[in-house]
Amino acid sequence: MSYILGEWFTLSLMAIALGMDAFSVSLGMGMIGLRLRRIAMIGLLIGLFHVIMPFIGMLLGNILSKQFGSFAVLMGGILLIVLGIQMFINSFSKEEDTSLVRGFGLLIFAFTVSLDSFSVGLSLGMSGVHTIVALFLFGLASTILTWLGFLLAKKVSGILGSYSELIGGSILCAFGLQLIL
């Protein structure tokens, strides 16, 4: 019984740590001012990606763990910097651009913040952890933390006005650099 509780506790902490990426990035992305329905959908999509990516990682754990883990983090950092630069540039235009959280941009966004969960899935796949429990906790934590990040950013962007997207782009670039370094 204590082994099961210990595993749940460990997986919960890991899920929160993985979801903090989504929280941090959604703080930056949330500065563009989105409706609650869009925020709910983005959170669910990111949660779904935080289930799919570690599952794929668990399946491929024995094959690619050493080579792909650092590559995934590097690619995630580069994609975040690209998204941040695009937001930074868009902050100088008069039109509000929400392409980063629509269509293909949304898929890239969800994929980017879930890349680290792929790496974690690689290592979990080799350790024999309860897959269903891990995937459920990863999806739940990332969804909730994404919602919290967007809602907090929505409140802050009302205070900051036109500078909010500039700050959001800067946050994404900083977070991308942190991933790379």
Side-chain angles (χ1 to χ4, degrees), residues 130-151:
H130 290 101
T131 303
I132 300 296
V133 173
L135 296 177
F136 171 75
L137 291 173
F138 290 173
L140 181 67
S142 62
T143 299
I144 291 171
L145 288 169
T146 300
W147 289 339
L148 289 174
F150 271 110
L151 293 175

Side-chain angles (χ1 to χ4, degrees), residues 30 32 43 91 121 144-145 172:
I32 60 177
S91 70
I144 291 171
L145 288 169
L172 288 181

Side-chain angles (χ1 to χ4, degrees), residues 41-100:
M41 200 250 334
I42 292 170
L44 290 172
L45 183 66
I46 288 174
L48 179 64
F49 267 77
H50 271 81
V51 170
I52 293 171
M53 294 298 285
F55 181 68
I56 293 171
M58 288 175 184
L59 293 176
L60 299 175
N62 292 328
I63 302 169
L64 303 172
S65 64
K66 290 186 175 112
Q67 296 154 355
F68 203 75
S70 60
F71 178 71
V73 172
L74 177 67
M75 288 307 298
I78 290 170
L79 287 172
L80 284 176
I81 290 171
V82 168
L83 289 172
I85 289 171
Q86 183 178 355
M87 267 185 80
F88 193 83
I89 291 170
N90 288 339
S91 70
F92 294 107
S93 71
K94 301 291 184 217
E95 301 173 12
E96 189 160 303
D97 182 19
T98 59
S99 65
L100 293 175

